[in-house]
Short mmCIF file of all heavy atoms in Angstrom, two decimals:
data_model
loop_
_atom_site.label_atom_id
_atom_site.label_comp_id
_atom_site.label_asym_id
_atom_site.label_seq_id
_atom_site.Cartn_x
_atom_site.Cartn_y
_atom_site.Cartn_z
N LEU P 744 119.37 95.52 99.11
CA LEU P 744 118.08 95.68 99.76
C LEU P 744 116.95 95.76 98.73
O LEU P 744 115.88 95.17 98.92
CB LEU P 744 118.08 96.93 100.64
CG LEU P 744 118.99 96.89 101.88
CD1 LEU P 744 118.96 98.23 102.60
CD2 LEU P 744 118.58 95.77 102.83
N LYS P 745 117.18 96.48 97.63
CA LYS P 745 116.17 96.60 96.59
C LYS P 745 115.84 95.24 95.98
O LYS P 745 114.68 94.92 95.70
CB LYS P 745 116.65 97.56 95.50
CG LYS P 745 116.66 99.02 95.91
CD LYS P 745 117.16 99.90 94.78
CE LYS P 745 117.21 101.37 95.22
NZ LYS P 745 117.74 102.23 94.13
N ARG P 746 116.88 94.42 95.77
CA ARG P 746 116.66 93.10 95.15
C ARG P 746 115.89 92.15 96.07
O ARG P 746 115.26 91.22 95.59
CB ARG P 746 118.01 92.45 94.79
CG ARG P 746 118.74 93.11 93.64
CD ARG P 746 119.84 92.20 93.12
NE ARG P 746 120.79 91.82 94.15
CZ ARG P 746 121.88 92.50 94.47
NH1 ARG P 746 122.14 93.65 93.84
NH2 ARG P 746 122.70 92.07 95.41
N ASN P 747 115.95 92.40 97.35
CA ASN P 747 115.35 91.48 98.31
C ASN P 747 114.11 92.04 99.00
O ASN P 747 113.66 91.50 100.00
CB ASN P 747 116.39 91.07 99.36
CG ASN P 747 117.44 90.15 98.79
OD1 ASN P 747 117.20 88.96 98.61
ND2 ASN P 747 118.61 90.69 98.48
N THR P 748 113.56 93.11 98.43
CA THR P 748 112.35 93.72 98.97
C THR P 748 111.15 93.36 98.10
O THR P 748 111.24 93.37 96.88
CB THR P 748 112.49 95.25 99.03
OG1 THR P 748 113.61 95.60 99.85
CG2 THR P 748 111.25 95.90 99.62
N TYR P 749 110.05 93.01 98.73
CA TYR P 749 108.82 92.72 98.00
C TYR P 749 107.66 93.38 98.75
O TYR P 749 107.53 93.24 99.96
CB TYR P 749 108.58 91.22 97.86
CG TYR P 749 108.51 90.48 99.18
CD1 TYR P 749 107.28 90.05 99.68
CD2 TYR P 749 109.66 90.23 99.93
CE1 TYR P 749 107.21 89.39 100.89
CE2 TYR P 749 109.58 89.57 101.15
CZ TYR P 749 108.36 89.14 101.62
OH TYR P 749 108.30 88.50 102.83
N ASP P 750 106.86 94.15 98.02
CA ASP P 750 105.80 94.96 98.64
C ASP P 750 106.44 95.81 99.75
O ASP P 750 107.34 96.57 99.51
CB ASP P 750 104.68 94.07 99.17
CG ASP P 750 103.96 93.33 98.06
OD1 ASP P 750 103.90 93.88 96.96
OD2 ASP P 750 103.47 92.22 98.30
N GLN P 751 106.00 95.62 100.99
CA GLN P 751 106.54 96.38 102.12
C GLN P 751 107.46 95.53 102.99
O GLN P 751 107.82 95.94 104.09
CB GLN P 751 105.41 96.94 102.97
CG GLN P 751 104.56 97.99 102.29
CD GLN P 751 103.46 98.50 103.19
OE1 GLN P 751 102.61 97.75 103.68
NE2 GLN P 751 103.47 99.78 103.44
N TYR P 752 107.88 94.39 102.47
CA TYR P 752 108.62 93.43 103.29
C TYR P 752 109.96 93.07 102.65
O TYR P 752 110.18 93.29 101.46
CB TYR P 752 107.77 92.19 103.53
CG TYR P 752 106.51 92.51 104.28
CD1 TYR P 752 105.33 92.82 103.59
CD2 TYR P 752 106.50 92.56 105.67
CE1 TYR P 752 104.18 93.16 104.28
CE2 TYR P 752 105.35 92.90 106.36
CZ TYR P 752 104.19 93.19 105.67
OH TYR P 752 103.06 93.54 106.36
N ILE P 753 110.85 92.52 103.47
CA ILE P 753 112.19 92.19 103.00
C ILE P 753 112.56 90.79 103.49
O ILE P 753 112.09 90.33 104.54
CB ILE P 753 113.22 93.24 103.50
CG1 ILE P 753 114.55 93.10 102.76
CG2 ILE P 753 113.41 93.19 105.01
CD1 ILE P 753 115.43 94.33 102.86
N TYR P 754 113.39 90.10 102.70
CA TYR P 754 113.74 88.72 103.02
C TYR P 754 114.73 88.59 104.17
O TYR P 754 114.73 87.61 104.90
CB TYR P 754 114.36 88.04 101.78
CG TYR P 754 113.37 87.74 100.69
CD1 TYR P 754 113.38 88.47 99.51
CD2 TYR P 754 112.44 86.72 100.83
CE1 TYR P 754 112.48 88.19 98.49
CE2 TYR P 754 111.53 86.43 99.81
CZ TYR P 754 111.56 87.17 98.64
OH TYR P 754 110.67 86.90 97.65
N LEU P 755 115.61 89.58 104.31
CA LEU P 755 116.73 89.43 105.24
C LEU P 755 116.75 90.54 106.28
O LEU P 755 116.44 91.70 105.98
CB LEU P 755 118.06 89.44 104.48
CG LEU P 755 118.26 88.28 103.50
CD1 LEU P 755 119.46 88.54 102.61
CD2 LEU P 755 118.43 86.97 104.24
N LEU P 756 117.15 90.19 107.48
CA LEU P 756 117.23 91.16 108.58
C LEU P 756 118.64 91.76 108.66
O LEU P 756 119.63 91.05 108.59
CB LEU P 756 116.91 90.48 109.90
CG LEU P 756 117.04 91.33 111.16
CD1 LEU P 756 116.00 92.45 111.15
CD2 LEU P 756 116.89 90.47 112.41
N ASP P 757 118.69 93.07 108.81
CA ASP P 757 119.94 93.77 109.11
C ASP P 757 119.82 94.29 110.53
O ASP P 757 119.00 95.17 110.81
CB ASP P 757 120.17 94.92 108.12
CG ASP P 757 121.53 95.58 108.28
OD1 ASP P 757 122.13 95.43 109.36
OD2 ASP P 757 121.99 96.23 107.33
N THR P 758 120.64 93.77 111.42
CA THR P 758 120.46 94.03 112.85
C THR P 758 120.94 95.40 113.31
O THR P 758 120.82 95.72 114.50
CB THR P 758 121.17 92.94 113.68
OG1 THR P 758 122.46 92.70 113.12
CG2 THR P 758 120.39 91.65 113.68
N LYS P 759 121.48 96.20 112.42
CA LYS P 759 121.94 97.52 112.85
C LYS P 759 120.80 98.50 113.06
O LYS P 759 120.99 99.60 113.62
CB LYS P 759 122.94 98.11 111.84
CG LYS P 759 122.33 98.61 110.54
CD LYS P 759 123.30 99.43 109.72
CE LYS P 759 124.41 98.60 109.17
NZ LYS P 759 123.97 97.67 108.09
N ASN P 760 119.57 98.14 112.63
CA ASN P 760 118.46 99.08 112.70
C ASN P 760 117.14 98.32 112.62
O ASN P 760 116.56 98.18 111.54
CB ASN P 760 118.58 100.08 111.54
CG ASN P 760 117.46 101.11 111.52
OD1 ASN P 760 116.71 101.25 112.48
ND2 ASN P 760 117.34 101.84 110.41
N PHE P 761 116.66 97.82 113.75
CA PHE P 761 115.39 97.09 113.73
C PHE P 761 114.75 97.07 115.11
O PHE P 761 115.39 97.38 116.12
CB PHE P 761 115.59 95.66 113.20
CG PHE P 761 116.06 94.66 114.23
CD1 PHE P 761 115.19 93.71 114.74
CD2 PHE P 761 117.37 94.66 114.68
CE1 PHE P 761 115.61 92.77 115.68
CE2 PHE P 761 117.80 93.72 115.61
CZ PHE P 761 116.92 92.78 116.12
N ALA P 762 113.47 96.71 115.12
CA ALA P 762 112.72 96.52 116.36
C ALA P 762 111.87 95.28 116.20
O ALA P 762 111.43 94.95 115.09
CB ALA P 762 111.84 97.73 116.67
N ILE P 763 111.60 94.58 117.30
CA ILE P 763 110.90 93.31 117.25
C ILE P 763 110.12 93.08 118.54
O ILE P 763 110.52 93.58 119.60
CB ILE P 763 111.92 92.16 117.03
CG1 ILE P 763 111.23 90.81 116.80
CG2 ILE P 763 112.90 92.08 118.19
CD1 ILE P 763 112.19 89.71 116.36
N ARG P 764 109.03 92.36 118.45
CA ARG P 764 108.31 91.97 119.66
C ARG P 764 109.23 91.14 120.54
O ARG P 764 109.89 90.20 120.07
CB ARG P 764 107.07 91.14 119.32
CG ARG P 764 105.97 91.89 118.63
CD ARG P 764 104.66 91.07 118.62
NE ARG P 764 104.85 89.66 118.88
CZ ARG P 764 104.75 88.69 117.96
NH1 ARG P 764 104.50 89.01 116.71
NH2 ARG P 764 104.90 87.42 118.30
N ALA P 765 109.28 91.44 121.80
CA ALA P 765 110.21 90.76 122.71
C ALA P 765 109.92 89.27 122.81
O ALA P 765 110.85 88.46 122.88
CB ALA P 765 110.14 91.41 124.09
N ASP P 766 108.64 88.89 122.79
CA ASP P 766 108.33 87.47 122.91
C ASP P 766 108.86 86.68 121.71
O ASP P 766 109.29 85.53 121.85
CB ASP P 766 106.82 87.27 123.07
CG ASP P 766 106.01 87.79 121.89
OD1 ASP P 766 106.44 88.78 121.26
OD2 ASP P 766 104.96 87.21 121.59
N LEU P 767 108.87 87.28 120.53
CA LEU P 767 109.35 86.61 119.33
C LEU P 767 110.85 86.43 119.35
O LEU P 767 111.38 85.34 119.07
CB LEU P 767 108.93 87.39 118.08
CG LEU P 767 109.42 86.83 116.73
CD1 LEU P 767 108.96 85.40 116.53
CD2 LEU P 767 108.96 87.72 115.58
N ILE P 768 111.58 87.49 119.70
CA ILE P 768 113.04 87.38 119.69
C ILE P 768 113.53 86.48 120.82
O ILE P 768 114.55 85.79 120.67
CB ILE P 768 113.71 88.77 119.74
CG1 ILE P 768 115.16 88.67 119.23
CG2 ILE P 768 113.65 89.39 121.14
CD1 ILE P 768 115.81 90.00 118.95
N ARG P 769 112.82 86.44 121.92
CA ARG P 769 113.20 85.53 123.01
C ARG P 769 112.95 84.07 122.62
O ARG P 769 113.63 83.17 123.12
CB ARG P 769 112.43 85.89 124.28
CG ARG P 769 112.88 87.20 124.91
CD ARG P 769 112.32 87.38 126.31
NE ARG P 769 112.76 88.65 126.88
CZ ARG P 769 111.99 89.71 127.06
NH1 ARG P 769 110.71 89.66 126.72
NH2 ARG P 769 112.47 90.83 127.57
N LYS P 770 112.01 83.86 121.74
CA LYS P 770 111.72 82.51 121.26
C LYS P 770 112.83 82.01 120.33
O LYS P 770 113.25 80.85 120.41
CB LYS P 770 110.39 82.50 120.53
CG LYS P 770 110.01 81.15 119.93
CD LYS P 770 108.67 81.25 119.20
CE LYS P 770 108.31 79.92 118.55
NZ LYS P 770 107.00 79.99 117.83
N LEU P 771 113.32 82.88 119.47
CA LEU P 771 114.31 82.48 118.47
C LEU P 771 115.75 82.67 118.93
O LEU P 771 116.61 81.82 118.70
CB LEU P 771 114.09 83.27 117.17
CG LEU P 771 112.82 82.93 116.39
CD1 LEU P 771 112.67 83.89 115.22
CD2 LEU P 771 112.84 81.51 115.90
N MET P 772 116.04 83.81 119.55
CA MET P 772 117.39 84.21 119.95
C MET P 772 118.35 84.14 118.74
O MET P 772 117.96 83.83 117.62
CB MET P 772 117.91 83.36 121.10
CG MET P 772 117.04 83.39 122.33
SD MET P 772 116.83 85.03 123.09
CE MET P 772 118.39 85.19 123.98
N PHE P 773 119.62 84.50 118.96
CA PHE P 773 120.64 84.42 117.92
C PHE P 773 121.54 83.22 118.19
O PHE P 773 121.67 82.77 119.33
CB PHE P 773 121.46 85.71 117.87
CG PHE P 773 120.70 86.90 117.37
CD1 PHE P 773 120.07 87.77 118.25
CD2 PHE P 773 120.60 87.15 116.01
CE1 PHE P 773 119.35 88.87 117.78
CE2 PHE P 773 119.89 88.24 115.53
CZ PHE P 773 119.26 89.09 116.42
N ASP P 774 122.15 82.71 117.14
CA ASP P 774 123.09 81.60 117.29
C ASP P 774 124.41 82.17 117.81
O ASP P 774 125.14 82.83 117.06
CB ASP P 774 123.28 80.89 115.96
CG ASP P 774 124.14 79.63 116.09
OD1 ASP P 774 124.89 79.52 117.07
OD2 ASP P 774 124.06 78.78 115.19
N SER P 775 124.74 81.88 119.05
CA SER P 775 125.93 82.46 119.67
C SER P 775 127.23 81.84 119.18
O SER P 775 128.32 82.32 119.52
CB SER P 775 125.84 82.33 121.19
OG SER P 775 125.77 80.97 121.57
N ASP P 776 127.14 80.79 118.37
CA ASP P 776 128.35 80.14 117.85
C ASP P 776 128.79 80.72 116.51
O ASP P 776 129.84 80.33 115.99
CB ASP P 776 128.11 78.63 117.70
CG ASP P 776 127.97 77.93 119.04
OD1 ASP P 776 128.63 78.38 120.00
OD2 ASP P 776 127.20 76.97 119.13
N LEU P 777 127.99 81.63 115.95
CA LEU P 777 128.35 82.24 114.68
C LEU P 777 129.21 83.48 114.90
O LEU P 777 128.87 84.33 115.72
CB LEU P 777 127.09 82.60 113.89
CG LEU P 777 126.20 81.43 113.45
CD1 LEU P 777 124.93 81.96 112.80
CD2 LEU P 777 126.95 80.50 112.51
N GLY P 778 130.28 83.61 114.13
CA GLY P 778 131.15 84.77 114.27
C GLY P 778 130.68 85.98 113.50
O GLY P 778 131.09 87.10 113.76
N ASN P 779 129.81 85.76 112.52
CA ASN P 779 129.28 86.85 111.70
C ASN P 779 127.99 86.36 111.05
O ASN P 779 127.69 85.17 111.05
CB ASN P 779 130.28 87.28 110.63
CG ASN P 779 130.02 88.68 110.10
OD1 ASN P 779 128.93 89.23 110.28
ND2 ASN P 779 131.00 89.26 109.45
#
């Protein structure tokens, strides 16, 4: 996490602890064909 953090932002999402605008996540959704 330290290596991938810049200012107050981070390159990668960890889904165990996050919140997002509903309109944004509904636009992108997750790839249901990925196992991990």
Side-chain angles (χ1 to χ4, degrees):
L744 292 176
K745 288 179 182 178
R746 290 195 303 272
N747 289 282
T748 301
Y749 58 104
D750 295 330
Q751 293 180 301
Y752 298 92
I753 193 162
Y754 288 108
L755 297 168
L756 176 66
D757 187 339
T758 44
K759 74 168 69 71
N760 180 13
F761 83 106
I763 187 171
R764 291 193 342 253
D766 61 329
L767 177 58
I768 200 167
R769 290 192 180 108
K770 178 181 178 180
L771 291 174
M772 302 299 281
F773 291 94
D774 186 339
S775 61
D776 291 327
L777 296 175
N779 201 343

